[in-house]
Amino acid sequence: MFSPSQEEHCAPNKEAVKYGELVVLGYNGSLPNGDRGRRKSRFALYKRLKPNGVKPSTVHVLSTPQASKAVSCKGQHSISYTLSRNQTVVVEYTHDKDTDMFQIGRSTESPIDFVVTDTISGSQNNDETQITQSTISRFACRIVCDRNPPYTAQIFAAGFDSSKNIFLGEKAAKWKNPDGHMDGLTTNGVLVMHPKGGFTEESRPGIWREISVCGDVYTLRETRSAQQRGKLVENETNVLQDGSLVDLCGATLLWRTADGLFHTPTQKHIEALRQEINAARPQCPVGLNTLAFPSINRKDVVEEKQPWAYLSCGHVHGYHNWGHRSDTEANERECPMCRTVGPYVPLWLGCEAGFYVDAGPPTHAFSPCGHVCSEKSAKYWSQIPLPHGTHAFHAACPFCAAQLSGEENCIKLIFQGPVD
């Protein structure tokens, strides 16, 4: 499945420089059917053994399709902008020894380093849930990393195909900039949001922008695939920072820098927090049976001791079958502790460490899915508007992509300790 060039950064030596990682929102540590090859929920970008970056060089203005085909078949990377049937601008790209390029998209062809498919919200992802028509581009975007410190990572819309070409057809949004260079947008666009204040508990959501094929920053189009581009945002850049979100219209990726990951809790840390909660022997206040979060590798199966919670008040119980309000609202239950009515769901530990903004204990649950993480992480994701469909935005659980609901999108959990 791998070409040698792809394998070299997947199993690097211990001294290899890590540029950062991309984590797909909506997955709790791995894809539902397991991570396989270039298709996985998390992708690390390492310094390559040999640089494979490219930079623009010669520009050709051609009047016949045959001439443009001749240029794009030279074996060099190129971007073709079709202005009309009898005019195409082809920008040739030449080798850049100072950068590494990584490509992301839906295609499984060899130029793609990280294969991304549509995320189905609410953990409904399995082989039976087929996407009828994907909105993610086959060659969606490329990330170019400087090989020298501080290892800056920049994002560009569109990726080069197996012929090393990017084609922007007649219908694609494209234009000539005042300085003369051509640029354009992909059909459904590549959107980026840089949080204000980095990826910490103090961060605030930034503004979603669109990135062009040449890496400029624009305000959003009126709709996702509108012909008219937004306005150029001159004081913002395509440089990814810790916590930047990249939306490919069907999947959203979180960029974590190597330094940011160094300060993030690890899988071992999350497992230690799980054991700590279980060691405190929380009890169901009604059944008085001891509750326990299942182990991380059993995160999809509801177990007998699993904690459940009323998401309107936060009281944690064991599973019971009473308190239904009516047949119409199947999941609306009355909490026996405080009589508050609301959803009653099993609690799941958030296992993807990359989504945590701090290493605090798992005290808060997202509503309505019941994924549990630290207070600051829950409050951070509860305020982040994520693109949904072609023009909507809403907050979603990072662990399963379920749209959040309730007054604050998350709730503080109230555990009862053992009575003895």
Side-chain angles (χ1 to χ4, degrees), residues 8-335:
E8 65 184 34
H9 62 262
C10 293
N13 60 45
K14 286 183 180 175
E15 288 76 45
V17 172
K18 183 191 272 192
Y19 296 128
E21 289 192 20
L22 289 165
V23 192
V24 189
L25 265 58
Y27 300 104
N28 197 10
S30 65
L31 297 180
N33 300 308
D35 292 344
R36 296 187 193 129
R38 289 173 290 152
R39 192 171 173 248
K40 45 193 164 187
S41 67
R42 189 173 183 154
F43 175 69
L45 284 68
Y46 288 96
K47 186 174 183 176
R48 295 186 186 274
L49 297 177
K50 293 179 184 172
N52 72 332
V54 292
K55 57 188 176 186
S57 60
T58 320
V59 178
H60 305 266
V61 181
L62 306 164
S63 54
T64 66
Q66 289 79 8
S68 64
K69 195 172 184 186
V71 170
S72 58
C73 287
K74 278 169 62 177
Q76 269 183 289
H77 287 83
S78 67
I79 302 182
S80 303
Y81 302 87
T82 306
L83 304 181
S84 65
R85 282 187 184 175
N86 47 22
Q87 191 178 28
T88 299
V89 176
V90 179
V91 181
E92 282 191 38
Y93 277 65
T94 186
H95 180 67
D96 182 0
K97 66 176 177 29
D98 295 318
T99 62
D100 286 335
M101 180 170 69
F102 302 88
Q103 299 209 133
I104 299 135
R106 179 170 50 87
S107 171
T108 55
E109 290 179 38
S110 60
I112 294 296
D113 297 286
F114 185 28
V115 179
V116 176
T117 52
D118 297 69
T119 303
I120 303 159
S121 65
S123 290
Q124 298 304 304
N125 265 356
N126 55 40
D127 287 336
E128 287 75 55
T129 323
Q130 289 296 316
I131 296 283
T132 48
Q133 193 171 8
S134 176
T135 47
I136 299 173
S137 171
R138 293 171 64 243
F139 301 91
C141 69
R142 59 200 194 278
I143 291 175
V144 176
C145 301
D146 287 346
R147 287 174 63 86
N148 300 307
Y151 307 116
T152 304
Q154 294 176 282
I155 186 164
F156 300 82
F160 294 97
D161 64 16
S162 296
S163 308
K164 299 184 180 177
N165 299 317
I166 292 171
F167 290 101
L168 291 175
E170 275 189 73
K171 292 181 180 177
K174 62 193 119 35
W175 60 91
K176 184 182 275 191
N177 281 311
D179 66 0
H181 84 262
M182 293 295 300
D183 203 352
L185 304 173
T186 53
T187 305
N188 288 328
V190 173
L191 309 189
V192 170
M193 190 269 277
H194 306 300
K196 294 173 184 169
F199 191 64
T200 68
E201 55 268 30
E202 270 73 55
S203 304
R204 289 284 166 270
I207 298 165
W208 281 97
R209 303 293 195 200
E210 180 160 11
I211 303 295
S212 72
V213 171
C214 293
D216 283 338
V217 182
Y218 288 84
T219 58
L220 301 188
R221 292 179 260 183
E222 284 208 3
T223 60
R224 195 76 192 232
S225 55
Q227 291 276 258
Q228 185 61 41
R229 70 181 185 273
K231 291 192 173 78
L232 180 68
V233 185
E234 299 202 31
N235 61 342
E236 293 182 25
T237 73
N238 65 336
V239 173
L240 296 174
Q241 59 193 51
D242 196 32
S244 291
L245 290 167
V246 177
D247 187 79
L248 303 178
C249 196
T252 308
L253 316 178
L254 171 70
W255 171 256
R256 298 302 314 269
T257 61
D259 185 59
L261 287 167
F262 185 74
H263 297 97
T264 295
T266 61
Q267 204 81 58
K268 282 183 181 174
H269 182 88
I270 293 171
E271 172 60 16
L273 289 172
R274 182 189 77 86
Q275 292 181 10
E276 205 174 305
I277 292 180
N278 291 349
R281 293 172 55 222
Q283 286 196 336
C284 173
V286 178
L288 300 181
N289 48 315
T290 302
L291 308 174
F293 279 98
S295 69
I296 284 173
N297 53 9
R298 288 186 60 79
K299 56 181 181 279
D300 302 318
V301 185
V302 179
E303 297 194 345
E304 193 184 347
K305 288 185 167 185
Q306 186 123 359
W308 287 61
Y310 289 88
L311 294 180
S312 293
C313 57
H315 281 113
V316 177
H317 290 253
Y319 178 72
H320 50 245
N321 207 11
W322 64 79
H324 288 283
R325 300 293 289 176
S326 68
D327 293 334
T328 51
E329 291 289 344
N331 201 30
E332 291 287 300
R333 301 276 200 97
E334 183 180 88
C335 172

